[in-house]
């Protein structure tokens, strides 16, 4: 069985300050992990993905995430928030091997305060 | 970069009508999924499909829903008799075979509005 837990449903940061969106997972198989962003009334856009290569993954728009197997975490970070980062962010897990089910976290809504 | 495409992007239908949402997955992918997101709510799993049959479905996926891969390229979700509460964004996804570079791709979604 697998699950994804996004620890914060809402995160509020000031523009120019760091962003940390937390994600923990559990998976019976070595997983691939993704972060997707959804702007209001828009579809899902892939920010970055981890697929068993480097544990520190860089994505678009200055975001990065670090896969920590010992902590079963895949937190998303950005050094300096921009107003355009305000959106909902989803952590997604996909196990490798065997039956694959894409599992979504419940989402974290990021608010950026000017 | 390969992509999953969904059509239409927006569909409006009357309650009780049948709708078919279409998806073209990545060509060499083997697993296919439908998810939905009611406005302001979380993304919910509907169904997964592998080897021409349903692998898993949620309790949301009742008898009014069906999926099909009619021609080896399209993957469709049919809702037989739509209800107001079916109004949502529907996302299709596909994933690669198991291996080191497993990844999933999502379409941009179809916004279904039932009136």
């Amino acid at each position: 069985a697998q699950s994804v837990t996004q620890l914060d449903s809402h995160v509020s940061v000031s523009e120019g300050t760091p962003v940390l969106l937390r994600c923990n997972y559990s998976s019976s198989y070595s997983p691939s992990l993704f972060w997707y962003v959804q702007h209001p009334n828009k579809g899902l856009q892939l920010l970055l993905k981890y697929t068993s290569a480097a544990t520190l993954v860089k994505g678009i728009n200055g975001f990065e995430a670090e896969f920590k197997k010992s902590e079963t975490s895949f937190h998303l970070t950005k050094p300096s928030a921009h107003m355009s980062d305000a959106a909902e962010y989803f952590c997604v897990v996909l196990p490798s091997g065997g039956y694959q089910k894409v599992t979504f976290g419940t989402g974290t809504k990021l608010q950026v305060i000017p | 970069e390969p992509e999953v495409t969904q059509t239409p992007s927006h569909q409006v239908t009357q309650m009780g009508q049948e709708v078919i949402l279409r998806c073209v997955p990545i060509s060499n992918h083997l697993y296919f999924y439908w998810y939905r997101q009611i406005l302001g709510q979380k993304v919910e799993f509907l169904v997964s499909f592998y080897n021409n049959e349903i692998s898993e479905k949620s309790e949301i996926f009742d008898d009014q829903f069906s999926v099909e891969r009619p021609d080896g390229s399209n993957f469709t979700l049919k809702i037989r008799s739509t209800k107001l509460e079916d109004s949502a964004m529907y996302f299709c996804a596909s994933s690669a075979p198991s291996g080191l570079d497993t990844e999933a791709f999502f379409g941009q979604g179809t916004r279904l509005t039932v009136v």
Side-chain angles (χ1 to χ4, degrees):
Chain A
Q2 65 200 48
S3 66
V4 180
T5 303
Q6 290 184 243
L7 296 154
D8 307 295
S9 58
H10 286 84
V11 169
S12 185
V13 301
S14 297
E15 189 177 17
T17 64
V19 176
L20 170 64
L21 305 183
R22 298 182 292 167
C23 173
N24 286 91
Y25 71 92
S26 68
S27 176
S28 303
Y29 301 95
S30 299
S32 295
L33 294 156
F34 311 81
W35 276 98
Y36 283 85
V37 60
Q38 185 183 33
H39 288 92
N41 299 312
K42 299 289 187 186
L44 297 167
Q45 180 184 17
L46 179 65
L47 271 181
L48 49 79
K49 61 187 178 188
Y50 164 77
T51 56
S52 79
T55 55
L56 181 62
V57 181
K58 293 188 186 298
I60 62 171
N61 301 334
F63 284 94
E64 62 181 41
E66 186 171 7
F67 174 71
K68 292 187 176 179
K69 188 174 182 178
S70 60
E71 298 176 12
T72 60
S73 69
F74 190 57
H75 300 333
L76 181 70
T77 60
K78 183 173 179 177
S80 176
H82 192 272
M83 293 300 295
S84 60
D85 296 327
E88 186 146 26
Y89 293 78
F90 294 95
C91 182
V92 175
V93 64
L94 174 64
S96 59
Y99 165 62
Q100 301 181 331
K101 178 182 173 183
V102 179
T103 300
F104 269 81
T106 50
T108 298
K109 196 158 286 186
L110 176 65
Q111 180 185 21
V112 182
I113 302 166
Chain B
E1 177 88 339
E3 61 178 16
V4 174
T5 55
Q6 288 186 242
T7 54
S9 57
H10 191 184
Q11 175 143 9
V12 180
T13 188
Q14 285 197 321
M15 190 169 56
Q17 295 295 304
E18 175 184 285
V19 294
I20 298 176
L21 310 184
R22 301 182 192 280
C23 169
V24 180
I26 308 298
S27 61
N28 67 338
H29 283 185
L30 299 179
Y31 295 87
F32 313 106
Y33 314 83
W34 283 101
Y35 289 77
R36 80 170 186 191
Q37 184 186 32
I38 295 171
L39 187 64
Q41 298 186 25
K42 64 180 183 180
V43 178
E44 302 171 292
F45 169 75
L46 289 178
V47 66
S48 59
F49 192 85
Y50 170 71
N51 200 25
N52 287 319
E53 60 184 27
I54 291 174
S55 304
E56 184 176 352
K57 60 183 181 180
S58 71
E59 58 188 28
I60 302 169
F61 194 88
D62 61 22
D63 291 344
Q64 70 162 339
F65 291 95
S66 63
V67 288
E68 200 175 34
R69 191 160 157 77
D71 56 12
S73 61
N74 290 289
F75 179 52
T76 61
L77 174 70
K78 182 192 289 186
I79 309 174
R80 283 191 190 81
S81 177
T82 49
K83 302 187 281 251
L84 294 176
E85 53 264 37
D86 294 326
S87 295
M89 180 80 96
Y90 288 81
F91 293 105
C92 172
S94 69
S95 67
S98 61
L100 290 179
D101 291 324
T102 305
E103 54 184 279
F105 289 84
F106 284 84
Q108 286 297 299
T110 293
R111 182 171 297 285
L112 176 65
T113 304
V114 182
V115 297

